[in-house]
Amino acid sequence: MARIVQISFHRDPQGRAPAQLLQDWPTVPQLAEAAAGAGADVLVVQACAAVEQLWQGGIGYHFLPCDSEPERLAKLLDRLRPELVHVQGLGFVQQVSTLASLVPGRPIVLQDRADAPPRPWRWPAWRRALKSARGLMFCAREQALPFRRRGLIAADTRIYEVPGSSCAFETRGPAAARADALLAGEPCLLWVAHLDRNKDPLTVLDGVALAVPRLPGLQLWLCYGRSPLHDAVRERMRDPLLAGRVHLLGAQPHARIETLMASADILVQGSHREATGYSVIEALACGLGVAVTDIPSFRALTGGCEAARLWPAGDASRLANALVELAALPATQRRALARARFDSHCSVEALGRRLVAAYEDLLAI
């Protein structure tokens, strides 16, 4: 298979050291390892203030200020000699335009990372940058439509449906996992998302309250980082239907999330927009049922799985019905169906197959 260079121009705002960055940004090695596992010869270039090269899992990771020093990037690419370049993000228009001049004639593919279409005055720069790419990757093909409607994507640009990442979480026996996680509930619901307007925890709490009369043993556990709606959530929890059954866990280490997911029954998410939805991928890996909003990325990830229920964003009554339906599925069946969907669509192996299929298609043009 051809040599692929995966590039991320996103600079870590915390300025972490390269080794720590690989640990804290698991998507970077996951994408590389997935493609390598499917037969690609992969190298990674990551924007960083430090200049360093690391090897992990047989893959070389090159850290340098490639986002702001194109001459450094030019020298590195001249040495690496990629046959295809895979860039993370659609919005690095200046860097991508420069990159196209550094690898003339070689295909570039850009992968969506929650990139919203720009303001109209930036459309010309975006058109030039996106035109230099032979292909674009989205979790769901529909996510390309807002860019097409604005004329930002050329008619001959290939669109590929590829999940943004995978995970290494495993399905465990729920009894043992609950003993570790100290969770309870029949069903036990888990939230893993920020408490903000896009994630919409208030609608989720409304839906949980509506489900309580039909699911009197229900408990909801919330893990979150940013929490601009924290006070509003606390106020909503005063509802007698929610009091004592909604628990704020706050931020949790990533390893702890796997334990919590293994012990829960259903993941609940209220997002109005997501590029991919990593919590959904992780939940399917752990065998959770998922009650998530009917948005393009979640439709693509769940793909009609019987352990998933999609409900319209902002519709609490439909969420309540989804929870009741999922709770009625036997736990063993729910776990098997969810894990089967993960294995077929979201696993490292499945991600690798999709990446390599896109690379091969682009190289054949």
Side-chain angles (χ1 to χ4, degrees), residues 195-196 201-202 205 224 226-238 248:
L195 301 182
D196 62 28
L202 297 178
L205 292 176
Y224 52 89
R226 295 192 304 272
S227 54
L229 294 181
H230 183 271
D231 291 346
V233 167
R234 289 296 298 262
E235 180 63 27
R236 185 68 184 86
M237 288 166 57
R238 293 165 62 89
L248 301 180

Side-chain angles (χ1 to χ4, degrees), residues 6 10 17 20 38 51 54 67 101 149 166 214 263 268 280 319:
Q6 297 179 349
H10 181 69
Q20 188 64 47
V51 178
L54 298 175
D67 56 327
S101 69
R149 285 195 291 264
S166 181
R214 291 174 282 172
S263 64
V268 59
V280 175
L319 168 58

Side-chain angles (χ1 to χ4, degrees), residues 40-58:
D41 176 12
V42 181
L43 294 166
V44 177
V45 177
Q46 172 62 52
C48 186
V51 178
E52 189 173 340
Q53 181 179 352
L54 298 175
W55 287 87
Q56 179 176 297

Side-chain angles (χ1 to χ4, degrees), residues 214-281:
R214 291 174 282 172
L215 299 172
L218 177 155
Q219 298 275 316
L220 171 63
W221 306 79
L222 291 91
C223 304
Y224 52 89
R226 295 192 304 272
S227 54
L229 294 181
H230 183 271
D231 291 346
V233 167
R234 289 296 298 262
E235 180 63 27
R236 185 68 184 86
M237 288 166 57
R238 293 165 62 89
D239 184 332
L241 288 170
L242 298 176
R245 67 175 72 248
V246 178
H247 313 275
L248 301 180
L249 300 178
Q252 299 291 316
H254 194 243
R256 176 69 173 166
I257 296 297
E258 182 175 12
T259 300
L260 294 171
M261 284 191 169
S263 64
D265 297 307
I266 299 169
L267 178 81
V268 59
Q269 299 284 84
S271 301
H272 291 248
R273 178 177 178 271
E274 292 288 348
T276 294
Y278 300 119
S279 295
V280 175
I281 293 174

Side-chain angles (χ1 to χ4, degrees), residues 308-356:
R309 293 294 185 278
L310 302 178
W311 51 280
D315 192 331
S317 63
R318 293 285 294 277
L319 168 58
N321 292 338
L323 294 174
V324 172
E325 290 174 12
L326 283 175
L329 279 178
T332 54
Q333 180 184 3
R334 193 169 56 230
R335 286 195 298 275
L337 290 167
R339 181 68 199 199
R341 176 59 185 173
F342 172 82
D343 289 339
S344 67
H345 189 77
C346 306
S347 65
V348 171
E349 294 77 14
L351 174 60
R353 289 192 297 271
R354 286 174 175 266
L355 287 170
V356 168

